[in-house]
Amino acid sequence: MSAIVELTGVDKEYPLGKLVVKALQGVDLRIERGEFTVIAGPSGSGKTTLLNLVGCVDVATRGKVVVAERSTGELGDGELTALRLHHLGFIFQTFNLISVLDVYQNIEFPLLLQGKLGKQERQERVMGLIEQVQLGAQVHQRPNELSGGQRQRVAIARALVTRPSIVLADEPTANLDSATGEAILGLMRELNAREETTFIFSTHDQRVMEHARRIVKLRDGRIEDAG
Amino acid sequence: MGVFLIIAVRNLIQARRRTAFLSAALVVVTALLVLLVALSAGIQENLIRSATTLSSGHVNVGGFYKVGSGDVSPIVTRIDVLREDVRGLSPEVDYLIDRHRGWAKLVSETGSMYAGLNGVDIQAEERLVSTLRLAPEADYREGGGPEPRGDLKGLTAPRTAIVFASQAKRLGVGVGDVITLRTETMRGQSNTADVTVVAVARDLGLLSTFTIFVPKETIIDLYQLRPDTSGAVQIYLKDIDDAERVMGELRQGLAAKGYAVMDHQPVPFWAKLESVQGEDWTGQRLDVTTWQDEVSFLTWIITAFDTITVILVGILVAIIAIGIMNTMWMSVRERTAEIGTLRAIGMSRGRVLLIFMLEATILGAAASLVGGLLGAALASGVSALQLSIPVEAVRVVLLSDTLTLAVHPGSVARAVGALTVFTMLSALWPAIRAARLQPVTAMQHVE
Amino acid sequence: MGHLGMLLRIALTSLVSHKVKSLIVGAIMIFGTLLVVLGTSLLDSVERSMEESVTSSLAGHLQIHAASAKDKLELFGGMGGPNADIGTIQRFEALRGAVSEVENVEAVVPMGLGVGVSNTDGELDTALKALRKAVRAEDAGARAVLEERVRQILALYREEVSHKLEVQADTARVEEERAQLEEALSPAFWSRFEADPLAGLEFLDTKVAPSFGGGRALYLRYLGTDIPLFADTFDRFEVVKGAAVAPGQRGFMIADRTYERQVKHRVAMEFDEVHRAVTEAGRQIAGDAILEFRVERMVKQYRRVLFQLQPADAAALEDALRRELPDVAGGLPELLQAFLRVDDATVVARYAFFYREIAPKIRLYDVQVGDVITLTSFTRTGYVRSVNVRFTGTFTFRGLESADLAGVTNLVDLVTFRQLYGAQTDAQREELATLREEVSAANVDRAGAEDALFGGDDAVEEAAPDGAAQAQLDAVRGGELEVESVGDVDAPFAPEEVQQGLVLNAAVVLKDPSRLEETRAAVQAAAARSGLEVKVLDWQESSGLVGQFVLVVRLVLWVAIGIIFTVALVIINNSMVMATMERTAEIGTMRALGAQRGFVVALFLVETVALGLLAGAVGGGLGVGLVAWMGSAGIPASNEVLVFLFGGPRLYPSVGWENVGLAVGIILGVSLVSTLYPAVLAARIQPVVAMQSR
Ligand SMILES: Nc1ncnc2c1ncn2[C@@H]1O[C@H](COP(=O)(O)OP(=O)(O)O)[C@@H](O)[C@H]1O
Ligand SMILES: [Mg+2]
């Protein structure tokens, strides 16, 4: 199996006033296609930072990050954006739906950005996902009319609509009650199994980790256990 | 108080961009206001300068002499006595002069035009000599050199004249040339005098296009007047703002001394000729006026300009008010949580209001101060450049050939003050909204 | 661009979602559009109506004058005064020939501006004239009354002599005048008068009258033209009183506004003004400083009425006034003053009384229709010329009745104009040649020889600018006789005299004014082909200062719009930046999901353009509505200058597509510029912000 994500000797530093915060130090990590990986660690251990690097929304200070066979350090903003658009899907802790668009439009949004599919195909794809995340009744509701769980399900659908090779989820259940969180995780597992999409998500919740096949443990910016 | 000030200042610094943009708008508007006021003051100053140089003192004691009831001349008799009486009556007088008044056709070899004559004693006319600038010859004569020619003091000689560049150009004359002055009396009689141009002065706006200076004797000869007559006593005060008051005092004082004094009419002397002609008295009457009366036919320009300024600034202020309210409103929304916290730990409504108002005041004061200084600097700079105005109609309206802006610290301060107060007023509503927030609602605002 | 639909959708929805921002920015944009639509369409309308005023009164669409002009042609006045040197066109027939050929030219009207003085009679003059008539008619009764009247007037002049000594340097002359006056007042003079009244009148006319009593000098700015052609061509021209100057006749026409304002009896004129202000403008005298002042001035001038009354009329008026004002003590002077001191309650009734009882008894106008007036003017080089000409009537331009600008220029026939200007006709040239031989050159100032000599017909007198001028002018003045006896003023001239010869400028009226520029070039070319060195101006250039008015107002408007939009730009920019910052997370999310920077910029631009179009439509609609409303109601011209600019008492503005288009264009431009910075800021938002929990 080929690695879809490969980090070698990655450091990430943030300037903080006069100090430098070392958010990640000497991280080496390989994630294979189709894996369902949890990045675990206490708050401030560097989970989000790691996901940012993998998600191509940020670049490493040192070391090499290869995503879908592309070394992110060598890419410009436009190429990174294209990489995100075609290979990655995001599920955010705070859902981050586009408030002015309704459920259908939010899910359709990345497809429109891609501009590859015709209207008919888009509609089929979007409606299919809406069925899967069971939001058939809310198709034309705006995000502020949805509950937290519903919003996160929209986010999941949106992350999957482009059939990305990797879906990244940063603490997807942190803002949900535990029952809803469970349901969401279940859904993600199911999709992982069906679509063979690589899932990487972060959490510091012990119960969530039970769903994982592989658990990478972070502490103070270092990998404690690569799972 | 100190801590509130710190909070306000830090908040402004924290919301750097917002502060910067709002400041920019305030700076622009204040600078514009200062510029417009400076332009208006510039027009006013041009008007005062040309009026008090060319056709009037700060206060004038002129008058009309009616030989018969149907006749009228702008003449005062026994000028020396009158001068003494005037001097005795107003201690504020800086100095006074008297000038003869006349109206004549100027005729040269190649052209002619009408102009008002000022019969002056050039030795006594310090202000005139210091205000008039000789025009470079090139201004009025094709192929003329850049150096000015002639001498204002040449007017001490009899049968001489100082003309302005625009007139010299029209008449095709230069220093040393002769022009014929022709006066026409009511009965169609005419008298003429040949005068030699001793100096060509730079134009002083609209008024200078129809004014020339000649020695008193020339007018006395031209109208065949007694030497103890004159046109008007022109009084220059230490402070021009006293003109109105001094006029009132003179009016009463002169009447008390037995002079017949006409009722005040705020129009220039020549506009009174016709109605005085129809009045049924004869002999001498004095007419006391201020410089404003003598140029009242031009004050519409200042009124019009000020009206435009008020409308324009009104519109701008309305736009800016929207901007300030919007900004402050954003600020309140953004800091709802913070306000909630402050209220929760026991800060009173008044204090919340105070913090927001302080913020607006500091912003308003600082930005409008910068704008005021910027405007003042710009105005002074533009004025120093002496840009010439290409369109004749604009020259007429601005009463000057060059763009003149006059900056007064007082008016800059007023503009800055007004904009600051105005910023505070605009911030009032958002600030009150902030102060009205319930602590609980505010805390819950955190997502 | 499959994005466009989505961009639009997002843009529109976010406009609706960010209500406050949209409202603020939208309101400013609407206001801006409204301002531009309103400002430019009003100004365009003023320009159009002013063009109407200018072209239909004096200027025509084009004006032609000699290329050698030194000054600017200022038909409606300006800085140059009426004697501007615009050169001469020696042979008008050549110009007319060349220009008439040009297609689109309807008429070519010859013209020339000048200014003259007409001295009106003083009270002594009037009395002496009446006396002369009575003597001629051998009406003994009238003669006795008038002789007494002359003596009364002369007695009043005794005071005048002592006043003259106060101011005049030439005491010898004053003493001489005193002697002549005393002579005229002596019983001996009057007994001689009985015997030889004509000699006595001669003495009074030539020795006494010139020194005393004031007539009024009427300054008249005139346009010399082919009056019948002028009346035909400028269709707003209308005769008000009397008649137009007939073809082939000499004559002078006074603009009705000048006639009513300058020639009219001052008291009547003042009364007209006050009455008009109260009845038409609805003003109150009490508390209105200007009106109170006018009333006071009217009262002060009561002697202008008193002195014109015939003895019998005076008695009748005194009776009538006493019935009207029973409480007033004193004689006619007191009664008149009390009568003229009108207030809001009495003004209307007394105005009617004035015109019923007083006006018929006084000379309501210094010059009456049909009078022969002596017009004195100075040639450009300063020589005096006097021409007697009949005043045939007054005229106005329809719609511009109350505009001073259109009512200060009077009309005179071209033949008289040329005499006043000093142009030579062929006949005069011949005459001059003969005269040259006869007159010894020593008598006449050399440089002034031509000016002083030609034009020797009886109605024309000229003088060189030295002592001789005095004598000659006095001769003209003293010679009321001549005016009465001259038949020349009505002698017809051959029509070709008007068609040919000297003019100063010419007006060209076009069939289709919209092709002005093109025709202007064609006229210029046609003149050049005929070897005429002339300059062709459009109406705006030739009208003088007033032509620049629209230019100045336009300048002010655009400076104001510029300033307003600069500030609006800053404020819109400010609002947008803040809105952008509020949307940071959302934009970061889009970026994280794979939206390129260009997409974000486009999103902002689309949003602004949508808002701009919306605001433009609303603002433009409001503007169109407002102008349409003004167009149907009309904006009243609050003063006489506005009457001219509005081309009538009201302006009916209209709005064109170009006004709206311009406004929307500007507003879109401004909003796009003000969006650039926020858009760049938004594009710089890093996708990573989407990941940061808030
Ligand atoms: N933008 C940033 N600027 C400065 N420090 C940051 C930034 N983002 C994260 N950090 C720091 O890096 C460390 C790791 O943070 P993060 O990856 O967010 O941890 P986690 O997601 O596990 O809670 C923390 O100490 C955090 O304070
Ligand atoms: Mg995190």
Side-chain angles (χ1 to χ4, degrees):
Chain A
M1 254 211 199
S2 62
I4 184 124
V5 175
E6 189 161 9
L7 282 71
T8 23
V10 167
D11 288 355
K12 178 68 190 177
E13 292 167 0
Y14 291 108
L16 192 74
K18 286 178 189 130
L19 299 172
V20 171
V21 178
K22 299 191 170 180
L24 290 177
Q25 290 180 62
V27 171
D28 296 312
L29 184 66
R30 247 179 92 92
I31 293 171
E32 307 296 328
R33 223 176 263 278
E35 271 194 57
F36 193 89
T37 309
V38 168
I39 315 281
S43 190
S45 58
K47 305 181 293 293
T48 301
T49 308
L50 181 62
L51 285 186
N52 285 349
L53 295 184
V54 175
C56 302
V57 294
D58 210 347
V59 286
T61 315
R62 271 175 296 276
K64 197 170 177 188
V65 179
V66 176
V67 179
E69 285 140 27
R70 315 281 299 268
S71 175
T72 62
E74 293 153 21
L75 301 178
D77 179 79
E79 289 159 310
L80 285 175
T81 307
L83 193 60
R84 289 199 295 274
L85 180 57
H86 297 288
H87 293 280
L88 297 164
F90 286 91
I91 299 164
F92 305 93
Q93 181 180 344
T94 45
F95 323 133
N96 290 22
L97 300 181
I98 296 168
S99 59
V100 298
L101 301 181
D102 64 20
V103 167
Y104 181 92
Q105 290 163 341
N106 260 292
I107 298 171
E108 189 191 24
F109 183 76
L111 289 179
L112 287 168
L113 284 179
Q114 282 189 334
K116 283 196 291 208
L117 303 181
K119 192 175 163 70
Q120 191 63 40
E121 283 172 284
R122 282 206 307 272
Q123 191 175 354
E124 278 167 20
R125 179 96 57 97
V126 174
M127 287 317 288
L129 276 166
I130 285 178
E131 286 306 309
Q132 283 186 40
V133 298
Q134 295 163 2
L135 284 171
Q138 284 81 23
V139 181
H140 291 300
Q141 285 179 9
R142 297 265 287 266
N144 58 0
E145 296 160 326
L146 301 176
S147 70
Q150 287 171 326
R151 288 186 204 184
Q152 197 60 303
R153 275 185 280 157
V154 178
I156 291 170
R158 181 176 67 181
L160 293 170
V161 77
T162 55
R163 306 218 167 117
S165 6
I166 311 165
V167 173
L168 300 166
D170 191 12
E171 310 211 24
T173 57
N175 285 335
L176 300 174
D177 60 77
S178 47
T180 318
E182 286 287 323
I184 292 288
L185 280 169
L187 179 63
M188 278 164 51
R189 276 296 304 273
E190 203 184 310
L191 289 166
N192 168 250
R194 193 162 356 118
E195 310 275 343
E196 296 218 331
T197 310
T198 314
F199 267 82
I200 307 174
F201 65 98
S202 71
T203 188
H204 63 274
D205 185 345
Q206 202 52 48
R207 283 172 304 161
V208 176
M209 293 176 208
E210 286 157 16
H211 290 269
R213 289 214 198 117
R214 176 182 174 193
I215 299 178
V216 178
K217 285 194 177 146
L218 273 179
R219 180 170 291 275
D220 296 335
R222 290 175 194 279
I223 294 190
E224 211 175 45
D225 175 4
Chain B
M1 188 70 186
V3 67
F4 297 124
L5 210 65
I6 292 170
I7 292 178
V9 171
R10 297 238 169 109
N11 273 330
L12 283 172
I13 295 172
Q14 190 149 42
R16 230 171 282 116
R17 192 134 51 194
R18 190 166 56 210
T19 309
F21 273 104
L22 197 55
S23 307
L26 277 169
V27 165
V28 169
V29 169
T30 322
L32 271 173
L33 183 59
V34 169
L35 277 172
L36 285 172
V37 171
L39 190 54
S40 173
I43 299 175
Q44 181 115 17
E45 261 167 40
N46 287 334
L47 182 63
I48 294 178
R49 190 172 48 123
S50 54
T52 58
T53 308
L54 299 174
S55 60
S56 167
H58 294 163
V59 181
N60 307 290
V61 180
F64 299 95
Y65 196 90
K66 293 184 61 161
V67 164
S69 66
D71 178 279
V72 62
S73 319
I75 289 176
V76 290
T77 54
R78 284 190 271 279
I79 183 66
D80 294 332
V81 181
L82 182 62
R83 281 183 69 132
E84 279 320 301
D85 286 343
V86 168
R87 189 179 286 284
L89 282 169
S90 39
E92 296 91 339
V93 168
D94 187 11
Y95 69 99
L96 52 83
I97 55 173
D98 70 274
R99 285 182 184 173
H100 271 282
R101 290 164 165 177
W103 177 251
K105 182 165 181 144
L106 317 181
V107 183
S108 74
E109 298 260 307
T110 52
S112 68
M113 62 176 290
Y114 287 92
L117 306 179
N118 272 312
V120 299
D121 170 8
I122 197 75
Q123 303 290 4
E125 297 266 358
E126 302 156 37
R127 176 181 292 255
L128 181 65
V129 173
S130 66
T131 312
L132 290 188
R133 296 259 166 277
L134 292 178
E137 199 183 10
D139 273 13
Y140 53 91
R141 185 165 265 179
E142 244 170 72
E147 71 287 349
R149 304 197 38 203
D151 177 14
L152 296 174
K153 291 285 185 187
L155 212 62
T156 42
R159 300 277 166 151
T160 49
I162 299 172
V163 301
F164 287 92
S166 56
Q167 299 158 348
K169 198 168 179 178
R170 272 189 70 78
L171 296 171
V173 296
V175 173
D177 293 341
V178 172
I179 50 180
T180 303
L181 307 184
R182 169 190 294 280
T183 65
E184 293 152 49
T185 64
M186 287 300 185
R187 309 231 80 194
Q189 298 157 356
S190 61
N191 295 313
T192 61
D194 286 347
V195 293
T196 310
V197 175
V198 291
V200 178
R202 274 186 199 230
D203 289 339
L204 270 180
L206 183 62
L207 283 172
S208 73
T209 51
F210 42 80
T211 308
I212 72 164
F213 292 92
V214 294
K216 278 184 189 165
E217 296 71 38
T218 305
I219 295 203
I220 287 178
D221 288 353
L222 209 49
Y223 289 95
Q224 292 166 6
L225 297 172
R226 276 170 56 142
D228 66 347
T229 57
S230 191
V233 179
Q234 299 190 357
I235 302 157
Y236 292 91
L237 306 172
K238 294 185 185 82
D239 181 2
I240 192 171
D241 293 335
D242 289 335
E244 199 76 23
R245 185 171 53 76
V246 172
M247 174 182 71
E249 289 168 7
L250 274 174
R251 192 174 286 287
Q252 285 183 351
L254 288 167
K257 276 188 182 288
Y259 287 96
V261 181
M262 290 169 42
D263 293 338
H264 184 223
Q265 289 177 28
V267 292
F269 78 91
W270 44 262
K272 297 170 188 161
L273 285 169
E274 187 127 38
S275 65
V276 170
Q277 190 193 7
E279 292 174 13
D280 73 336
W281 48 271
T282 58
Q284 175 78 76
R285 291 236 171 141
L286 293 185
D287 186 23
V288 190
T289 59
T290 62
W291 67 272
Q292 276 156 315
D293 303 335
E294 296 297 327
V295 290
S296 55
F297 60 105
L298 292 177
T299 38
W300 67 269
I301 294 173
I302 290 169
T303 315
F305 193 85
D306 286 349
T307 312
I308 294 171
T309 304
V310 166
I311 293 175
L312 191 59
V313 171
I315 292 174
L316 292 183
V317 152
I319 296 177
I320 282 276
I322 294 177
I324 295 173
M325 277 194 223
N326 186 26
T327 310
M328 290 307 287
W329 185 228
M330 291 266 181
S331 178
V332 170
R333 270 218 329 217
E334 224 167 70
R335 277 151 56 192
T336 304
E338 186 187 315
I339 297 165
T341 318
L342 291 174
R343 296 276 286 120
I345 60 173
M347 186 186 270
S348 71
R349 292 212 154 130
R351 296 235 158 120
V352 173
L353 188 71
L354 180 74
I355 288 184
F356 276 87
M357 289 310 287
L358 260 179
E359 214 177 302
T361 311
I362 293 168
L363 177 76
S368 53
L369 187 68
V370 172
L373 293 178
L374 187 74
L378 262 173
S380 318
V382 169
S383 204
L385 282 179
Q386 296 263 313
L387 297 174
S388 61
I389 303 163
V391 184
E392 184 189 19
V394 179
R395 281 204 294 272
V396 170
V397 168
L398 297 186
L399 294 170
S400 170
D401 298 350
T402 55
L403 199 56
T404 318
L405 298 116
V407 186
H408 297 292
S411 56
V412 176
R414 268 197 297 280
V416 170
L419 264 288
T420 307
V421 169
F422 166 75
T423 312
M424 290 167 67
L425 288 180
S426 308
L428 203 56
W429 179 70
I432 290 174
R433 290 288 296 256
R436 285 238 190 93
L437 281 174
Q438 297 291 336
V440 189
T441 350
M443 297 282 278
Q444 280 168 353
H445 200 78
V446 196
E447 244 178 81
Chain C
M1 280 315 285
H3 294 167
L4 197 67
M6 174 183 48
L7 277 173
L8 260 177
R9 197 158 60 200
I10 299 180
L12 289 181
T13 356
S14 83
L15 278 181
V16 178
S17 315
H18 300 88
K19 273 192 207 70
V20 178
K21 186 216 74 176
S22 303
L23 272 178
I24 287 172
V25 177
I28 295 178
M29 286 175 171
I30 288 173
F31 178 75
T33 320
L34 184 65
L35 195 76
V36 177
V37 171
L38 219 57
T40 58
S41 57
L42 283 182
L43 215 56
D44 288 351
S45 302
V46 168
E47 190 164 4
R48 273 195 300 276
S49 51
M50 191 180 99
E51 173 175 357
E52 247 291 291
S53 292
V54 171
T55 55
S56 66
S57 53
L58 296 179
H61 299 106
L62 297 173
Q63 278 281 334
I64 307 177
H65 64 65
S68 63
K70 272 199 208 150
D71 296 327
K72 272 189 267 178
L73 173 61
E74 292 175 322
L75 276 175
F76 291 92
M79 306 300 299
N83 280 5
D85 177 4
I86 56 158
T88 54
I89 296 169
Q90 284 299 336
R91 291 173 56 244
F92 174 64
E93 61 276 21
L95 181 73
R96 188 208 296 268
V99 174
S100 310
E101 294 297 297
V102 177
E103 178 262 343
N104 197 27
V105 167
E106 188 173 294
V108 188
V109 184
M111 288 184 171
L113 272 181
V115 66
V117 188
S118 170
N119 291 292
T120 62
D121 293 343
E123 61 230 28
L124 182 60
D125 300 309
T126 318
L128 287 177
K129 257 190 199 173
L131 181 55
R132 184 181 294 275
K133 222 176 243 163
V135 168
R136 286 226 178 112
E138 292 172 11
D139 178 348
R143 195 173 134 178
V145 171
L146 287 164
E147 279 177 19
E148 183 49 35
R149 185 174 183 78
V150 168
R151 277 195 293 273
Q152 278 174 1
I153 293 173
L154 289 175
L156 280 173
Y157 290 158
R158 284 197 171 121
E159 185 195 33
E160 211 166 291
V161 173
S162 48
H163 281 315
K164 274 187 180 173
L165 287 169
E166 285 275 303
V167 290
Q168 291 192 359
D170 193 350
T171 43
R173 186 162 142 209
V174 179
E175 287 304 340
E176 191 188 323
E177 283 172 13
R178 189 206 293 272
Q180 279 161 348
L181 180 64
E182 288 308 327
E183 156 85 25
L185 280 165
S186 66
F189 174 81
W190 289 102
S191 53
R192 277 203 307 281
F193 193 94
E194 291 310 310
D196 186 356
L198 286 179
L201 277 171
E202 185 70 21
F203 174 78
L204 292 173
D205 259 337
T206 57
K207 300 292 181 202
V208 182
S211 321
F212 295 101
R216 219 148 57 83
L218 203 59
Y219 281 83
L220 295 168
R221 175 190 154 92
Y222 54 77
L223 181 80
T225 185
D226 179 349
I227 294 177
L229 176 63
F230 183 95
D232 270 358
T233 311
F234 295 99
D235 49 12
R236 282 199 182 199
F237 175 91
E238 247 173 21
V239 174
V240 183
K241 303 182 177 80
V245 175
Q249 287 289 331
R250 297 182 41 217
F252 194 89
M253 298 189 75
I254 300 182
D256 199 59
R257 186 149 173 102
T258 300
Y259 195 61
E260 289 293 325
R261 298 265 168 148
Q262 318 246 335
V263 186
K264 197 168 192 173
H265 194 283
R266 312 256 3 130
V267 173
M269 193 207 87
E270 214 74 76
F271 216 152
D272 288 347
E273 285 293 321
V274 173
H275 181 256
R276 193 174 9 241
V278 171
T279 56
E280 281 175 29
R283 282 156 67 183
Q284 295 260 313
I285 299 173
D288 186 325
I290 296 173
L291 286 183
E292 283 177 346
F293 173 68
R294 277 184 175 266
V295 169
E296 209 40 55
R297 195 157 65 181
M298 182 162 84
V299 174
K300 277 188 187 157
Q301 307 200 47
Y302 77 97
R303 284 192 21 171
R304 289 192 192 272
V305 173
L306 193 63
F307 273 30
Q308 286 190 1
L309 295 171
Q310 298 300 320
D313 288 342
L317 181 61
E318 189 171 343
D319 285 348
L321 279 175
R322 206 172 295 287
R323 275 196 302 279
E324 192 78 5
L325 307 163
D327 302 337
V328 178
L332 186 53
E334 288 73 25
L335 279 166
L336 258 180
Q337 291 180 63
F339 171 78
L340 291 174
R341 189 167 281 115
V342 294
D343 56 29
D344 290 303
T346 55
V347 60
V348 175
R350 290 198 186 168
Y351 185 74
F353 181 93
F354 182 88
Y355 274 95
R356 194 174 61 240
E357 299 288 339
I358 302 180
K361 300 185 173 76
I362 59 175
R363 268 197 322 164
L364 205 50
Y365 297 93
D366 282 347
V367 184
Q368 316 270 359
V369 170
D371 285 358
V372 172
I373 57 173
T374 304
L375 209 56
T376 305
S377 98
F378 292 88
T379 63
R380 271 199 315 104
T381 43
Y383 293 93
V384 182
R385 291 168 171 277
S386 293
V387 176
N388 286 353
V389 62
R390 192 171 296 285
F391 161 47
T392 67
T394 69
F395 69 95
T396 190
F397 296 103
R398 210 170 346 95
L400 301 177
E401 289 86 355
S402 51
D404 275 347
L405 277 161
V408 293
T409 307
N410 308 294
L411 294 179
V412 68
D413 70 280
L414 211 49
V415 172
T416 309
F417 171 79
R418 287 182 189 140
Q419 286 174 345
L420 286 167
Y421 183 79
Q424 299 168 330
T425 63
D426 289 340
Q428 285 172 333
R429 226 166 269 145
E430 243 167 66
E431 196 177 348
L432 180 68
T434 5
L435 271 170
R436 264 202 190 119
E437 288 163 21
E438 289 169 8
V439 179
S440 88
N443 271 353
V444 189
D445 175 6
R446 217 163 54 83
E450 296 212 347
D451 273 324
L453 286 176
F454 64 76
D457 76 300
D458 296 47
V460 184
E461 295 288 337
E462 289 139 23
D466 50 34
Q470 184 70 56
Q472 294 199 26
L473 270 170
D474 284 353
V476 175
R477 268 203 34 72
E480 315 283 10
L481 304 155
E482 282 176 75
V483 174
E484 275 177 43
S485 61
V486 159
D488 282 293
V489 290
D490 296 325
F493 51 80
E496 48 295 357
E497 266 202 72
V498 180
Q499 314 284 325
Q500 299 170 358
L502 175 139
V503 297
L504 302 190
N505 52 304
V508 179
V509 175
L510 305 183
K511 292 178 189 134
D512 175 8
S514 65
R515 283 158 51 208
L516 187 139
E517 271 315 312
E518 166 198 338
T519 315
R520 173 183 177 163
V523 167
Q524 183 81 63
R529 269 198 304 280
S530 311
L532 295 163
E533 290 184 356
V534 295
K535 209 170 153 195
V536 183
L537 309 172
D538 66 24
W539 61 272
Q540 202 154 15
E541 293 165 323
S542 61
S543 55
L545 219 45
V546 70
Q548 292 191 24
F549 169 84
V550 171
L551 210 73
V552 173
V553 176
R554 209 174 273 283
L555 197 78
V556 170
L557 180 73
W558 282 115
V559 169
I561 287 177
I563 291 174
I564 289 170
F565 276 107
T566 311
V567 173
L569 205 133
V570 174
I571 294 295
I572 296 179
N573 179 67
N574 207 353
S575 289
M576 300 285 265
V577 168
M578 287 186 299
T580 312
M581 293 194 291
E582 280 214 327
R583 286 163 69 182
T584 300
E586 194 167 298
I587 292 158
T589 305
M590 290 185 192
R591 294 278 285 126
L593 291 179
Q596 295 284 5
R597 285 193 167 140
F599 175 85
V600 177
V601 172
L603 185 65
F604 270 71
L605 294 188
V606 168
E607 202 174 311
T608 311
V609 169
L611 185 59
L613 281 176
L614 198 73
V618 174
L622 277 178
V624 170
L626 216 59
V627 176
W629 174 72
M630 289 178 190
S632 65
I635 308 166
S638 54
N639 66 45
E640 57 86 12
V641 177
L642 288 183
V643 172
F644 188 79
L645 296 175
F646 289 2
R650 273 168 184 273
L651 179 72
Y652 298 95
S654 61
V655 58
W657 282 116
E658 69 278 7
N659 301 119
V660 182
L662 184 71
V664 174
I666 291 176
I667 214 69
L668 280 182
V670 165
S671 40
L672 279 180
V673 170
S674 56
T675 314
L676 282 184
Y677 182 68
V680 167
L681 275 188
R684 280 210 216 119
I685 291 175
Q686 292 296 324
V688 68
V689 300
M691 308 290 283
Q692 284 156 359
S693 50
R694 280 155 296 159

